[in-house]
Amino acid sequence: MNTLFGERKEGATKIVLKSVDEYPEAPVTLGTTLTNFTGDWRTFIPVIDDSKCVKCYICWKFCPEPAIFIREDGYVGVDYDYCKGCGICANECPTNAITMEKEEK
Amino acid sequence: MAEYKPIRKVVSGNYAAAYAVKHARVEVVAAYPITPQTSIIEKIAEFIANGEVENLEYVPVESEHSAMAACIGASAAGARVFTATSAQGLALMHEMLHWASGARLPVVMVDVNRAMAPPWSVWDDQTDSLAQRDTGWMQFYAENNQEVYDGVLMAFKIAETVNLPAMVVESAFILSHTYDVVEMIPQELVDEFLPPRKPLYDLTNFEKPFSIGALGTPADYYEFRYKIQRAMEKAKEVIHEVGKEFGERFGRDYSQMIELYRTEDADFVFMGMGSLMGTVKQAVDVLRDEGYKVGAAKVRWFRPFPKEELYELAKNVEGIAVLDRNYSFGMEGILFTEAKGALYNTNAKPIMKNYIVGLGGRDFTVSDVRKIAENMRAIIEKGELDVEVDWYHLKR
Ligand code: SF4
Ligand code: SF4
């Protein structure tokens, strides 16, 4: 994924462990955030209306996960592998360009 | 293998612990002084000051909570780590004890058993260590200074094999400050017995970074708890093997988690832990001469709990007098609860009675054991208990 601020490493796949023997012996994080997706905690999902966006990047600054990225056209996008649905971006957006909608799973 | 010629030194239990730390080539000690543990860490500090140990970092901290936190950090980084504490200090560590076991770090600690306050007390009592029962730490109870020394060395080997922390417990003053001959093992033989630690994960591999003990959601937490229990079960085998190896190399066999003393053909046995059992063994000899068929069962390892060995013992005796130098308020002595619980679903049903003895350092002597033996014999003859929990020393 290319953004103005660099490139997200490819090959990120979430690790799902099915049996106790697949787990590491000690509770080490199962990889880094590259493979530890916070996106599956989400109930609500931010939806961005580009027509209301003024490219202020307040949402980018406030997002507690590295989930908001700046697209090459200057608008913002959401990396859904990491967006945990906290709604901070929607709360902070000065133009109400972001709405939180219940995600269908 | 070099030939084993023990080095005999007359030392206190605390110095025995400090020498074991030195011989185990511990790399980090973080500790806070608390009576009666203080002379352990003073001795270690002295070793460092005199240049008698290499590569041993002593981290002076401002509390026991910090001591354990520092131990956890050092152990996570791969070091062999030690600390020591007592009573209120151990209680202050409680929260951190979970972090060590949960993260599967083989920290070894000596707890000098001391009564919990108030009233303020510095004397022997096992309630401090037994209150840590559910923290995921293994617990070894030493009967004498020799067992403190041997226990610390074995604890490192066992802990580092199963990746769980271990506590070696000795009695306040009765062992900690009382001098006795201890057979120490020459350094090169300790080195053969206890090679350098191989950490489970290499936290210093910066090519492959990871974190320990970070968030575990409901999807993963459960499995890690099960792994701790599985490691505890495995520890029973490892304790057996390491204890046997120790016996083969150095002549003192610790392969049994419950040490049985004159229990074959015994009608009933006294069961307990720690220095108390030295008195009991002596009393057993006296009582045997007086015609009592009695024995002693010293529980060396309280965690993991030796259920299977207890069952083997309980099958063959009519009664077990459980001597608890500790108490769980609202219930009974802690070892008593454990022992009864372990036997409930078996067909071994000896009469079991709980004697609360020696709390807060109250003296417990051979003649006390004789009185208990008389009482046990009467109970067994009658086939029923007078009381289940007997506050033996109570001034009535
Ligand atoms: S805070 Fe709102 S307006 Fe500003 S960049 Fe984000 S979406 Fe656009
Ligand atoms: S909902 Fe929260 S995590 Fe998701 S993009 Fe917005 S601020 Fe980031």
Side-chain angles (χ1 to χ4, degrees):
Chain A
M1 188 182 289
N2 287 311
T3 73
L4 274 187
F5 296 93
E7 195 180 328
R8 180 177 143 192
K9 274 195 188 160
E10 290 306 325
T13 46
K14 186 179 161 47
I15 298 172
V16 181
L17 298 169
K18 292 210 172 68
S19 88
V20 65
D21 293 315
E22 290 177 12
Y23 279 80
E25 192 60 19
V28 293
T29 46
L30 312 168
T32 61
T33 44
L34 192 64
T35 50
N36 187 15
F37 291 175
T38 44
D40 48 313
W41 305 357
R42 192 173 55 224
T43 306
F44 291 92
I45 192 165
V47 176
I48 303 174
D49 180 352
D50 284 354
S51 70
K52 288 189 188 166
C53 176
V54 294
K55 302 181 182 175
C56 67
Y57 307 142
I58 288 173
C59 55
W60 172 81
K61 238 182 190 165
F62 273 82
C63 175
E65 301 294 326
I68 300 263
F69 62 91
I70 299 167
R71 302 189 325 231
E72 268 160 13
D73 61 8
Y75 289 102
V76 292
V78 181
D79 184 341
Y80 291 113
D81 282 347
Y82 296 106
C83 167
K84 61 187 179 189
C86 66
I88 292 173
C89 54
N91 194 57
E92 295 299 332
C93 174
T95 67
N96 294 324
I98 306 178
T99 49
M100 299 302 291
E101 288 175 17
K102 186 110 190 252
E103 189 180 19
E104 303 295 330
K105 287 207 176 157
Chain B
M1 202 195 296
E3 201 203 332
Y4 171 50
K5 278 204 210 77
I7 302 156
R8 292 193 178 82
K9 273 192 206 303
V10 178
V11 289
S12 66
N14 279 356
Y15 282 8
Y19 275 102
V21 167
K22 177 184 172 187
H23 294 157
R25 296 193 189 276
V26 170
E27 293 156 303
V28 177
V29 172
Y32 186 81
I34 180 169
T35 303
Q37 160 264 44
T38 312
S39 56
I40 299 179
I41 56 167
E42 278 175 354
K43 190 72 183 168
I44 292 170
E46 191 184 304
F47 289 146
I48 297 170
N50 294 346
E52 287 180 58
V53 284
E54 288 163 28
N55 305 324
L56 172 56
E57 185 83 24
Y58 181 87
V59 189
V61 284
E62 93 301 350
S63 78
E64 285 83 354
H65 190 274
S66 306
M68 188 45 64
C71 287
I72 288 165
S75 186
R80 180 168 288 161
V81 177
F82 176 84
T83 189
T85 191
S86 278
Q88 315 298 126
L90 181 60
L92 184 55
M93 276 183 186
H94 172 80
E95 187 252 353
M96 279 287 140
L97 297 188
H98 283 280
W99 281 92
S101 59
R104 306 295 302 277
L105 301 170
V107 177
V108 170
M109 155 159 73
V110 165
D111 174 55
V112 185
N113 261 161
R114 166 188 146 182
M116 298 300 294
W120 196 244
S121 168
V122 292
W123 292 275
D124 188 20
D125 187 304
Q126 298 164 337
T127 310
D128 62 342
S129 53
L130 290 172
Q132 308 307 324
R133 186 189 65 175
D134 304 330
T135 54
W137 280 62
M138 298 184 283
Q139 292 196 0
F140 174 89
Y141 285 78
E143 179 193 323
N144 50 41
N145 295 358
Q146 183 69 58
E147 289 193 358
V148 174
Y149 177 82
D150 296 346
V152 170
L153 293 181
M154 285 188 290
F156 275 110
K157 185 152 173 155
I158 294 159
E160 290 171 13
T161 307
V162 298
N163 294 292
L164 283 176
M167 212 180 274
V168 174
V169 185
E170 57 160 315
S171 305
F173 300 106
I174 295 170
L175 301 189
S176 68
H177 286 65
T178 305
Y179 282 65
D180 197 358
V181 178
V182 172
E183 288 195 352
M184 298 193 187
I185 303 164
Q187 185 66 58
E188 70 269 23
L189 293 185
V190 178
D191 292 344
E192 276 177 23
F193 172 73
L194 186 65
R197 178 184 164 205
K198 286 195 195 73
L200 193 53
Y201 300 108
D202 182 7
L203 201 65
T204 60
N205 178 359
F206 301 116
E207 300 304 310
K208 217 170 161 241
F210 63 89
S211 63
I212 293 180
L215 190 73
T217 66
D220 298 314
Y221 183 88
Y222 194 91
E223 276 65 27
F224 288 119
R225 294 289 111 171
Y226 176 78
K227 291 219 168 208
I228 296 176
Q229 172 54 20
R230 200 157 70 176
M232 277 283 182
E233 286 302 324
K234 188 182 164 206
K236 290 182 184 175
E237 290 162 36
V238 176
I239 285 167
H240 176 78
E241 284 158 20
V242 170
K244 190 160 166 267
E245 183 191 347
F246 200 92
E248 282 161 7
R249 284 179 187 261
F250 311 122
R252 292 180 294 278
D253 186 290
Y254 290 90
S255 58
Q256 302 305 310
M257 296 172 74
I258 301 180
E259 182 193 332
L260 300 178
Y261 184 74
R262 303 186 76 171
T263 56
E264 57 312 315
D265 84 330
D267 295 335
F268 63 93
V269 296
F270 306 98
M271 199 168 100
M273 304 192 292
S275 61
L276 197 66
M277 295 310 285
T279 306
V280 171
K281 283 183 192 168
Q282 198 193 336
V284 164
D285 290 342
V286 173
L287 289 165
R288 282 262 174 189
D289 291 344
E290 293 174 6
Y292 281 91
K293 278 165 80 181
V294 287
K298 181 178 83 186
V299 176
R300 281 187 177 129
W301 291 90
F302 178 76
R303 280 290 181 275
F305 194 75
K307 259 187 166 181
E308 300 77 8
E309 288 182 26
L310 176 64
Y311 173 60
E312 287 305 316
L313 168 73
K315 273 198 303 201
N316 300 315
V317 294
E318 288 173 59
I320 302 180
V322 181
L323 311 174
D324 269 306
R325 189 168 221 156
N326 60 75
Y327 204 77
S328 175
F329 300 106
M331 191 59 177
E332 57 203 4
I334 297 167
L335 180 61
F336 186 57
T337 304
E338 300 278 322
K340 268 193 313 177
L343 293 174
Y344 184 80
N345 279 326
T346 70
N347 51 22
K349 296 272 189 284
I351 289 186
M352 294 177 78
K353 180 169 167 178
N354 194 192
Y355 297 87
I356 306 303
V357 298
L359 297 186
R362 182 70 59 90
D363 207 6
F364 181 69
T365 64
V366 170
S367 66
D368 292 322
V369 184
R370 182 188 286 110
K371 281 186 200 138
I372 289 171
E374 283 164 14
N375 181 238
M376 275 302 283
R377 186 147 76 177
I379 288 166
I380 290 170
E381 272 167 19
K382 222 175 154 207
E384 69 182 66
L385 285 172
D386 44 3
V387 285
E388 193 180 27
V389 183
D390 190 342
W391 281 71
Y392 173 78
H393 304 284
L394 203 65
K395 294 168 186 161
R396 290 171 216 264

